[in-house]
Each structure stands twice: as C-alpha cells, then as structure tokens.
Amino acid sequence: MDPQTLGARIQRIRQRQNFSVRDLADKAGVNKNTILRLEKGLTPSYSTLNRVCEALGVHVAQLTQPEPDEDQTIALHARAEEGREPLAADESVLLSSLRCRLPGGRVNAAIMELYGESESTTHPGEELVFCLRGSAKVAVAGRTYELGEGDAATFWSAERHSYGPADEATEEQLPVILLMVWVDSRESERA
C-alpha cells in the first residue's frame, strides 16, 4: 500500500471517531506534526504507526483492507502480482500486510521481518504467530517464549506483546520472519 493511501485511511478513521489531530497525537503519545506528516503520506516508523493505530483502536494491517464486496468468496494474496509493499518500517521491524482478507471477514494476516526488538502493543482479539525463518522471542503478558523455525504460538492479543530475534541470533541469521494471523474481536461485535 502506498503511504498516501495509508495516510488517507488513518485520517478517515480519525475523523469518524471525532478526534482532532491534537486529540489523536495526545492519545498516541506523538507530536501533532507526526500525525499531520502521516496523514499527508510520509512513511511512518513501525513504532509510530503502531502507537497511532493503538490510539485509534485498529490493528495496523486493518488499514490495508479493501472496501467490502459482498460477492467475493475467496481472497488471494499473489506476491508475484502485487509485491510486498511495507506497511510500516523502522530499523527493527518491517511489517507487510497480506491482502488476502475476505470483504467483511475477520481474519487478518501479515509478515513481520525482525531485525531487532519490536515495540510492545495490544489489540483486541486472538493472534497466532508462526516462525517462518530463524528463531524469535515472543513476549506476552510479561513472559518471554522462544519460537524456532516451524514453531507457533497463539495468545489473546489484548495482552501486551512484542517480538524480536532470539538472543543468540547473529546478523547473518536476520531477518527473522514471522507470519502473524489474528481475528479482531471488535469486528465480530460489529457484524
């Protein structure tokens, strides 16, 4: 997704929730100018986008979801056709959404490439994380767990959680790649 579309979607969500730019900045713990730059289409860091989305009550990957088309019965993500545009990036994390959500559906998916520790976050729902490459640390509710390649974990994502490469990961073993899949409980309440 291009940064201008991302910014426009954040602005629409903010306006629907009757937040001023200052209200959202205060709630997200960022500068007002950060919100203005984000809404104008500048690519945010993972940390900034995560804070803004948390303040708006949405998961970052929800911003990439298309408008509902009720006739659609399958959604495919074809990497070869669309590439993987980063949704958010900084020196520690590259987050790319998989655009394979059914319109009106509740399942979200993303690929996270870890070069360092992510900032911790919370969002409603249940999350599954699957380690595709390398070894990762997953911290949930103050406890840290290690996932090796092929390992998975499921947790309530309302618990504060974060990700990072395993402590022994060398630079050659980076990035650690995780598949994240979650169901947002707020969406089921709206349906």
Side-chain angles (χ1 to χ4, degrees), residues 106 122-128 154-159 161 181-189:
R106 298 184 344 234
T122 64
H123 54 91
E126 183 177 357
E127 186 164 331
L128 173 133
T154 304
F155 56 91
W156 298 112
S157 49
E159 297 289 341
H161 57 282
V181 179
W182 67 98
V183 176
D184 188 332
S185 62
R186 288 174 303 200
E187 295 179 34
S188 61
E189 294 165 5

Side-chain angles (χ1 to χ4, degrees), residues 162-175:
S162 63
Y163 308 96
D167 290 332
E168 70 276 358
T170 64
E171 205 156 310
E172 295 80 37
Q173 296 169 319
L174 299 179

Side-chain angles (χ1 to χ4, degrees), residues 90-109:
D90 58 31
E91 62 278 351
S92 297
V93 178
L94 173 63
L95 183 68
S96 303
S97 177
L98 297 179
R99 297 184 206 152
C100 56
R101 180 175 163 182
L102 288 169
R106 298 184 344 234
V107 176
N108 300 282

Side-chain angles (χ1 to χ4, degrees), residues 21-158:
V21 170
R22 184 171 303 285
D23 293 338
L24 179 56
D26 290 345
K27 191 170 180 183
V30 298
N31 184 290
K32 178 180 104 168
N33 290 329
T34 300
I35 301 297
L36 292 171
R37 286 191 301 270
L38 180 59
E39 290 184 355
K40 286 181 181 179
L42 295 176
T43 301
S45 70
Y46 173 77
S47 173
T48 298
L49 185 59
N50 206 29
R51 286 179 182 191
V52 170
C53 287
E54 194 171 321
L56 290 170
V58 298
H59 191 282
V60 292
Q62 286 175 257
L63 298 173
T64 66
Q65 303 309 317
E67 296 298 319
D69 175 2
E70 299 304 324
D71 294 334
Q72 191 172 350
T73 59
I74 186 170
L76 301 173
H77 174 90
R79 182 177 179 183
E81 290 177 16
E82 66 181 53
R84 252 184 35 212
E85 289 186 44
L87 180 59
D90 58 31
E91 62 278 351
S92 297
V93 178
L94 173 63
L95 183 68
S96 303
S97 177
L98 297 179
R99 297 184 206 152
C100 56
R101 180 175 163 182
L102 288 169
R106 298 184 344 234
V107 176
N108 300 282
I111 297 290
M112 182 178 273
E113 296 180 30
L114 295 167
Y115 298 88
E117 298 283 329
S118 74
E119 190 168 293
S120 67
T121 187
T122 64
H123 54 91
E126 183 177 357
E127 186 164 331
L128 173 133
V129 60
F130 183 88
C131 188
L132 295 169
R133 177 177 178 239
S135 295
K137 291 186 304 188
V138 179
V140 180
R143 293 188 62 196
T144 301
Y145 307 89
E146 189 162 320
L147 297 179
E149 208 165 286
D151 293 342
T154 304
F155 56 91
W156 298 112
S157 49

